[in-house]
Amino acid sequence: MARLKVTQLKGIVGEKHSARETLRTLGLKRIGDVVVKEDRPEIRGMVRTVRHLVAVEEVE
């Protein structure tokens, strides 16, 4: 199964509460943090919610 590498590029200061919680749920705490998650619809939806704060790459 494919995996997604999610990197936080911007901070959460001034963001809505839902965006902050979504980043925490993904496991991102600070700028530069990287997590690798399975490519599932739930994860894609979370990434779409915070797409202005993160960068996403597909990895094998």
Side-chain angles (χ1 to χ4, degrees):
M1 180 174 229
R3 298 172 73 91
L4 296 175
K5 178 179 167 185
V6 185
T7 306
Q8 185 175 346
L9 299 177
K10 294 185 177 182
I12 59 173
V13 175
E15 292 296 324
K16 293 183 180 179
H17 181 71
S18 60
R20 292 175 184 232
E21 290 301 315
T22 302
L23 285 175
R24 292 281 183 225
T25 302
L26 285 169
L28 299 168
K29 296 181 181 177
R30 60 185 59 88
I31 297 171
D33 275 359
V34 178
V35 294
V36 178
K37 299 284 187 178
E38 289 186 20
D39 188 5
R40 299 190 333 237
E42 299 87 9
I43 301 299
R44 289 270 181 174
M46 285 189 255
V47 168
R48 190 177 303 116
T49 301
V50 293
R51 65 182 173 263
H52 58 289
L53 301 174
V54 299
V56 182
E57 300 175 40
E58 289 189 16
V59 294
E60 295 293 325

